Amino acid sequence: MSAIDTLPPLRDVIARHGLSARKALGQNFLLDLNLTAKIARAAGDLTGSDVLEVGPGPGGLTRGLLAEGARRVVAVEKDARCLPALEEIAAAYPGRLEVVQDDALAVDWAARLTPPVRIVSNLPYNVGTELLVRWLTPAVWPPVWDSLTLMFQREVADRIVAQPGGKAYGRLAVLAQWRAEARIVMSLPPEAFTPPPKVRSAVVHLTALPRPRFEADADTLSRVVAAAFGQRRKMLRAALKGLAPDIEDRLHAAGLSPTDRAEQVPIEGFCALARQMG
Ligand code: SAM
């Protein structure tokens, strides 16, 4: 029995089901259930919400989410070896946990959830940024989710909350802060995980804004920032010349200088440019 529920400790679960961590699946597990409950609490009041969890693994965070009162959890896990352990959790919380064995990049998660929806995950590092970008760039806003509470490598978390003018500022900062309020709410050392990764980790909490801060088409803005930061040391006129032959005129029309570098351009500037690209 553990501190937060009547299920066995995670070390026992992992040993019983032979869940040796696989690097290719980004498997660094959280075994301290007090910590996973704390992460669940960082997502806010879960009692009236459905939760999407990507990569539950042996279920440490899943148990935290359920113990903290999530109405329902839909947990998408690619590794079939984890399913028996997750089914034990589902049996302990009847009707509140749906386990989906699939690739989170392929699954239609929204169809399985009823709003309000929160997304809470200790993300596998290999698909973490791709998932975040997808969650931030649906064509229609506000999105299905109200908040994202996500564990990343610390360096990725820093990029999400970065301000213009520094090395960390780039595509993730622009896309995240354009449509959401983003802050780092927890920082974790490698030893918090089994096996420990090489780097520190951090939990980022993003709350969807009712409306984006500035008007822009999500796809166009994504293309513009990808190109601008793809060659971040170049001036904008060079980095963006592949997007339109008259890019200098468009930069001027957006109030930007063709000799600026992407790092100096605030979110408002990228949105103005995206509007000029339409
Ligand atoms: N949530 C667990 C925890 O906190 O201990 C495990 C987190 S571990 C960092 C990432 C999990 O994501 C692993 O269980 C891994 O198998 C799973 N995973 C990796 N790639 C995935 C994908 N494309 N779709 C769904 N799950 C994936």
Side-chain angles (χ1 to χ4, degrees), residues 154-166:
R154 174 77 208 206
E155 172 259 331
V156 177
D158 287 339
R159 286 200 271 136
I160 295 167
V161 302
Q163 297 299 307

Side-chain angles (χ1 to χ4, degrees), residues 37-60:
K38 193 172 162 195
I39 296 167
R41 283 196 295 278
D45 180 7
L46 298 177
T47 49
S49 295
D50 278 12
V51 175
L52 171 69
E53 186 194 0
V54 169

Side-chain angles (χ1 to χ4, degrees), residues 25-31 36 53-61 76-79 82 102-105 122-124 126-127:
L25 286 167
Q27 292 183 335
N28 301 98
F29 300 134
L30 290 168
L31 304 189
T36 62
E53 186 194 0
V54 169
L61 181 54
V76 182
E77 174 56 61
K78 193 170 174 181
D79 185 354
C82 298
D102 209 334
D103 183 339
L105 292 171
N122 174 13
L123 289 172
N126 47 343
V127 291

Side-chain angles (χ1 to χ4, degrees), residues 21-104:
R22 292 200 176 143
K23 212 172 169 183
L25 286 167
Q27 292 183 335
N28 301 98
F29 300 134
L30 290 168
L31 304 189
D32 177 351
L33 289 158
N34 290 311
L35 180 58
T36 62
K38 193 172 162 195
I39 296 167
R41 283 196 295 278
D45 180 7
L46 298 177
T47 49
S49 295
D50 278 12
V51 175
L52 171 69
E53 186 194 0
V54 169
L61 181 54
T62 320
R63 286 165 63 173
L65 294 165
L66 290 162
E68 288 300 318
R71 182 175 63 194
R72 260 183 84 243
V73 176
V74 172
V76 182
E77 174 56 61
K78 193 170 174 181
D79 185 354
R81 295 179 310 151
C82 298
L83 298 191
L86 294 168
E87 287 311 332
E88 287 173 9
I89 305 171
Y93 290 94
R96 290 177 56 201
L97 173 60
E98 181 186 350
V99 181
V100 181
Q101 198 229 324
D102 209 334
D103 183 339

